[in-house]
Amino acid sequence: MKGADAMDAVMVFAPSPVLTVTVEDLDGEADIHIHAGGQGVWQARMLHSLGASVTLCGVFAGETGRVACDLIRRQGIEVLPVEGAGSSGAYIHDRRGGERQELAESPGHRLSRHELDQLYSLTMRGGIAAGTAILSGPAHEGIVPDDAYRRLAADLGETGCTVIVDLSGDRLTAAVRGGVALVKVAHDELVESGRADSSKPGDLIPAMHSLVDEGAGTVIVTRAQEPALLLHEGELSEVHVPSLESVDTSGAGDSLTAGIAAALTSGRSMFDAVTQGSAAGALNVTRHGLGTGDAETIRELMGLVRIIPYSGGQSTATAEGTSPDETAKGSLTR
């Protein structure tokens, strides 16, 4: 249920945005890029690209926080900030050799009780107004208590807000206990947290059902180059996307989550939402910018995404793609 003034609006809980400095090579010269970053920021950036009205709630502290907040606002994203007393995180990466090499990193400070209380109130305000919320993780461990995710999920859900989480480990467990509409999680995160013994579908699928039993409505598990697994209303599907040349896989999962949220908040079906999210994630790996991509190209790629019933590893997909309308109607999907 959206707030009275909300239209295709999403609130992103991004507790600890970071300031990023990346050095690229441009014809033998250092090409320096300065951006705001972190999971929630990348999600907000893709949401904005897809035409959603985005509000980001986070703590911004010190010089790095002030710069990051200004950069986010300059991208057309509304920010409900808490002005923290410490310093926000930051990192410097060198990509001139083709791979990301970390030169320096500052994790940012653990949020105080006062900062958490302020952030909680702003997040509730933004979520109620938007009607759809993404809860994203902090940049580092220990910045936000895990139980804050349970409380937010429960309280936002109580207001009628559609809650989507892109989390792992104890934060995921806490949020699901609060009740969420959708969980997006990577296969390796399920293994690392002990929810699955391996990345094989036979181990991942029981973990997906467990998440539903604990309080998740729908679960999507990404599997790197393999088709994602989708559990929705008790039915298991595979999500097949075009295999595009990868420049940087970072941010692909966040783009997927954002694409799903943008579609759901506009009233589209879960399968159409997953189709859009998958197309957004596929496009993002072809770009240097994290959480970036133009909406028109994403719409074209949607026609190449296929969601098919899970077949125990034996693909039943045909060589032909489906249009978003066909996907939503279930001509090749459920």
Side-chain angles (χ1 to χ4, degrees):
M1 179 177 65
K2 295 178 182 291
D5 298 325
M7 180 177 295
D8 295 355
V10 181
M11 183 281 299
V12 179
F13 174 73
S16 58
V18 298
L19 184 67
T20 75
V21 180
T22 305
V23 186
E24 306 273 358
D25 178 76
L26 182 62
D27 298 327
E29 299 289 337
D31 187 24
I32 301 174
H33 299 265
I34 302 175
H35 297 286
Q39 183 185 36
V41 174
W42 298 326
Q43 291 164 346
R45 189 178 296 156
M46 178 57 75
L47 282 161
H48 181 69
S49 296
L50 289 168
S53 173
V54 191
T55 300
L56 184 143
C57 299
V59 176
F60 298 86
E63 294 178 352
T64 51
R66 287 192 293 272
V67 173
C69 186
D70 182 64
L71 289 171
I72 295 169
R73 283 175 166 155
R74 287 175 180 269
Q75 293 178 342
I77 296 167
E78 180 182 1
V79 180
L80 294 181
V82 174
E83 296 183 5
S87 63
S88 293
Y91 65 69
I92 303 174
H93 285 179
D94 189 340
R95 282 183 50 93
R96 285 175 290 183
E99 301 291 333
R100 288 184 180 271
Q101 179 183 359
E102 184 179 297
L103 301 182
E105 182 176 17
S106 173
H109 72 287
R110 180 182 176 87
L111 303 189
S112 69
R113 185 181 67 178
H114 180 63
E115 290 167 343
L116 282 169
D117 285 346
Q118 283 187 291
L119 181 59
Y120 200 95
S121 294
L122 291 178
T123 300
M124 289 298 298
R125 183 207 304 176
I128 292 169
T132 301
I134 297 177
L135 304 184
S136 67
H140 293 277
E141 297 295 330
I143 292 178
V144 179
D146 296 332
D147 193 58
Y149 287 91
R150 180 195 60 78
R151 293 172 55 222
L152 278 172
D155 288 347
L156 286 168
E158 183 67 19
T159 70
C161 186
T162 298
V163 181
I164 298 167
V165 299
D166 191 344
L167 302 166
S168 61
D170 292 339
R171 286 187 289 272
L172 172 59
T173 297
V176 170
R177 285 175 179 166
V180 298
L182 181 137
V183 165
K184 176 267 170 185
V185 63
H187 66 104
D188 54 343
E189 292 170 338
L190 289 178
V191 175
E192 290 172 7
S193 66
R195 283 185 170 270
D197 291 334
S198 77
S199 294
K200 297 178 180 179
D203 290 324
L204 296 175
I205 292 169
M208 296 171 72
H209 282 282
S210 292
L211 285 167
V212 171
D213 292 341
E214 292 172 34
T218 296
V219 178
I220 182 167
V221 176
T222 56
R223 298 192 295 153
Q225 302 302 318
E226 298 296 318
L229 299 175
L230 172 67
L231 180 60
H232 177 61
E233 295 182 346
E235 297 189 11
L236 191 66
S237 305
E238 295 176 337
V239 184
H240 294 254
V241 300
S243 180
L244 306 180
E245 289 288 331
S246 176
V247 172
D248 191 343
T249 59
S250 302
D254 300 321
S255 294
L256 184 152
T257 302
I260 292 173
L264 290 180
T265 196
S266 63
R268 287 145 68 184
S269 72
M270 179 62 71
F271 289 102
D272 200 25
V274 171
T275 298
Q276 175 168 283
S278 300
L283 179 62
N284 189 239
V285 304
T286 70
R287 303 168 62 91
H288 289 93
L290 306 186
T292 62
D294 65 281
E296 192 59 40
T297 302
I298 290 170
R299 281 191 287 270
E300 292 295 331
L301 282 172
M302 286 177 67
L304 302 176
V305 175
R306 299 188 304 277
I307 305 177
I308 63 175
Y310 178 69
S311 57
Q314 300 298 316
S315 176
T316 60
T318 68
E320 298 179 359
T322 63
S323 70
D325 287 341
E326 290 173 325
T327 301
K329 291 176 182 176
S331 61
L332 289 182
T333 68
R334 285 284 305 174

